[in-house]
Amino acid sequence: MSERLPGMGIPLSPTAAEPRLSAVAILYRRAGDGAQVFWVKRGEALRFAGGFYALPGGKLDAADARVPVRGAAGEEAALRSAAARELFEETGVLMAEGAQALPEPRRAELRRALLAEELKWADLLQREGLALRAEDFRAAGRWITPPSVPVRFDAHFYLVEAPPDSHAEVLPGELSEGAWIDPEAALARWRDGSALLHPPTVHALQVLADFKDDADARARLATPAYCPGFISQRIEFQRGVRVVALETATLPPAMHTNAYVLGHGELLVVDPGSSDVKQYAKLLSLVAGLKAEGMKPVAVVLTHHHGDHTGGARAVKERLGVPVWAHARTADRLDFPVERLLQDGEVLELAGAVAQRWRVLHTPGHAQGHVCLVDELSRAAVVGDMVAGVGTIVIDPPEGNMGDYLTQLARLRDWPVTTLYPAHGGPIPDGPARLQEYLKHRAAREAVILESLPPEGATLARVVATAYADTHPLMHPVAERSALATLEKLAAEGRVREESLTWFRTGA
């Protein structure tokens, strides 16, 4: 993204989505003195948490309220019905009185019919003489998705012990994996960055890793730390990479810029972009909590100079008493001092319980001084405005250069990186695939722009009207900047020329 262009007339106040009621089943089974958990991996294409590992669950359907649940009424019954339905759909485990009498082939047939919407959940239970019981779904906490996330849930969690004869498996579709796993093994994958987890899943695994009994687990599941109003104040999708979404004047549909706090002892604070004290106070609060645990901020790092990335940098620097680090082409665009100039290839070492080494990659294109940070262990990358989890990336000449941008996208893809942590939107688990998608999209747009130039030539406005006909007119001022960057790239390659504000294909 970048700062809003003048005259766009877009409101600055973000409106949070209303959370949808949902239910999640923490399915576990006894294993020696402890427990194992069944987790699933969500398909990459899913809008919410695509590519993340999670627990079985989903949103409450209106029809869930039609299902009686012995021992519960009203919303609590409907939520347990939703948990039972989602558990059956996603894992094949049917938690209902009488289900054990059903042969496995019959359960599989019912599951397929339910997924194909050939059979309603209430009708399935009634036809088979099954009954849901509240005691099978024991309340185990509640989590609400933070306001910065476009899709939000008010998720009620239930602890469910799998019947001894149950067989859990994932069918191809929205989920790509499913397996029983020791909680500590799952957490090890979270720590090394090979499994991205949302805070409720991290908390559930931490509780089940020290499983004593059902009552103790439920008590601890329902009382997570740093979670006022059921909204987590510590979001750590992989260990040592914490994110705080700050409201900023960035380009819609994004309304936030992600600040990152990296490290397990020494800490880097990346892109404190909001100048609003109420916003950067969230970031300072997180750092204060980490300091109380013995960690220490050592620097503010800026990926580039745009205001939605640097708005709070001076204040955060002064409050924490730390220097600012940035590339020279960022430093010379700021009105406050930068104490260390970052160079391509250098490594930022962070001491701590687990040492981190973040390699600096100079990635010009969106901005001349743009840098990314790549964790040498997990190859996760904090990528600023190279890609976005929501919205688009603007290449705005003369600061922006399309040729440089495409070169750096390919460089990141081929590094290769793993998870991308962008400045706008959520993490992108399959980084190389997303980077290739960006390269493909830019190539396709370039071809359309080139094709939009008739023999008599075209103005930039005409190019945008033709080549960006699929883009809302409100965004045409933004599209115009990227179109100009593409035309300048084509001119540098000798494929187009500009004369008196009109663009021509060479040889036309």
Side-chain angles (χ1 to χ4, degrees), residues 81-165:
S81 170
R85 175 181 52 75
E86 290 284 346
L87 184 63
F88 185 45
E89 289 177 347
E90 295 192 356
T91 73
V93 174
L94 183 54
M95 287 297 299
E97 186 177 63
Q100 291 182 342
L102 290 177
E104 189 60 40
R106 179 57 178 163
R107 293 189 209 180
E109 180 185 346
L110 292 171
R111 183 186 183 191
R112 284 193 296 271
L114 185 63
L115 288 168
E117 299 183 354
E118 299 168 357
L119 185 61
K120 301 294 185 183
W121 177 232
D123 295 338
L124 181 156
L125 295 171
Q126 184 177 31
R127 180 184 300 179
E128 302 299 323
L130 306 177
L132 299 185
R133 302 173 297 194
E135 63 194 61
D136 293 329
F137 295 85
R138 298 180 181 271
R142 177 184 176 191
W143 297 74
I144 299 176
T145 313
S148 59
V149 181
V151 179
R152 303 181 65 205
F153 295 96
D154 180 353
H156 294 247
F157 283 68
Y158 298 94
L159 190 61
V160 180
E161 184 172 5
D165 65 339

Side-chain angles (χ1 to χ4, degrees), residues 28-36 182 207-213:
Y28 78 96
R29 67 183 183 187
R30 312 282 175 145
D33 294 332
Q36 290 184 322
D182 291 329
V207 168
L208 271 294
D210 186 30
F211 182 82
K212 297 178 178 62
D213 57 51

Side-chain angles (χ1 to χ4, degrees), residues 168-413:
E169 66 173 346
V170 165
L171 299 178
E174 290 188 351
L175 305 177
S176 60
E177 294 180 27
W180 289 103
I181 189 167
D182 291 329
E184 185 53 46
L187 290 168
R189 293 194 56 189
W190 169 71
R191 287 190 287 267
D192 69 23
S194 64
L196 299 183
L197 304 175
H198 279 98
T201 311
V202 175
H203 179 61
L205 291 168
Q206 289 171 335
V207 168
L208 271 294
D210 186 30
F211 182 82
K212 297 178 178 62
D213 57 51
D214 183 277
D216 174 76
R218 285 189 290 112
R220 289 187 290 139
L221 285 166
T223 54
Y226 316 111
C227 201
F230 309 110
I231 299 176
S232 178
Q233 302 302 299
R234 286 204 181 180
I235 300 175
E236 200 168 359
F237 297 121
Q238 72 178 68
R239 189 181 180 192
V241 181
R242 305 167 197 86
V243 60
V244 182
L246 307 178
E247 294 176 14
T248 59
T250 189
L251 284 176
M255 291 291 184
H256 300 79
T257 299
N258 295 329
Y260 290 95
V261 180
L262 311 177
H264 302 288
E266 293 183 324
L267 304 172
L268 296 179
V269 180
V270 182
D271 283 355
S274 179
S275 59
D276 182 349
V277 64
K278 293 180 180 179
Q279 293 301 309
Y280 65 70
K282 302 175 189 176
L283 178 60
L284 292 172
S285 177
L286 170 62
V287 174
L290 296 173
K291 287 174 67 177
E293 296 171 15
M295 302 187 205
K296 176 185 176 182
V298 296
V300 169
V301 175
L302 303 177
T303 61
H304 61 296
H305 72 280
H306 287 150
D308 58 330
H309 294 254
T310 63
R314 185 200 293 268
V316 170
K317 156 195 167 72
E318 292 174 352
R319 298 286 185 93
L320 296 180
V322 298
V324 172
W325 299 350
H327 190 271
R329 294 288 73 76
T330 294
D332 63 15
R333 289 155 170 78
L334 299 175
D335 61 359
F336 54 88
V338 170
E339 286 77 10
R340 176 174 173 178
L341 299 181
L342 300 177
Q343 297 183 3
D344 185 67
E346 72 173 293
V347 175
L348 310 180
E349 299 193 35
L350 300 177
V354 178
Q356 284 188 345
R357 289 168 53 87
W358 291 90
R359 186 169 295 275
V360 177
L361 299 184
H362 179 214
T363 51
H366 175 70
Q368 292 180 28
H370 196 286
V371 297
C372 297
L373 303 178
V374 182
D375 176 33
E376 291 200 338
L377 180 62
S378 70
R379 291 188 176 265
V382 177
V383 295
D385 277 353
M386 287 301 292
V387 301
V390 59
T392 188
I393 298 298
V394 179
I395 309 302
D396 184 9
E399 181 69 32
N401 182 287
M402 186 64 76
D404 289 345
Y405 176 65
L406 297 176
T407 296
Q408 297 306 321
L409 286 177
R411 182 189 186 197
L412 286 170
R413 177 199 63 194

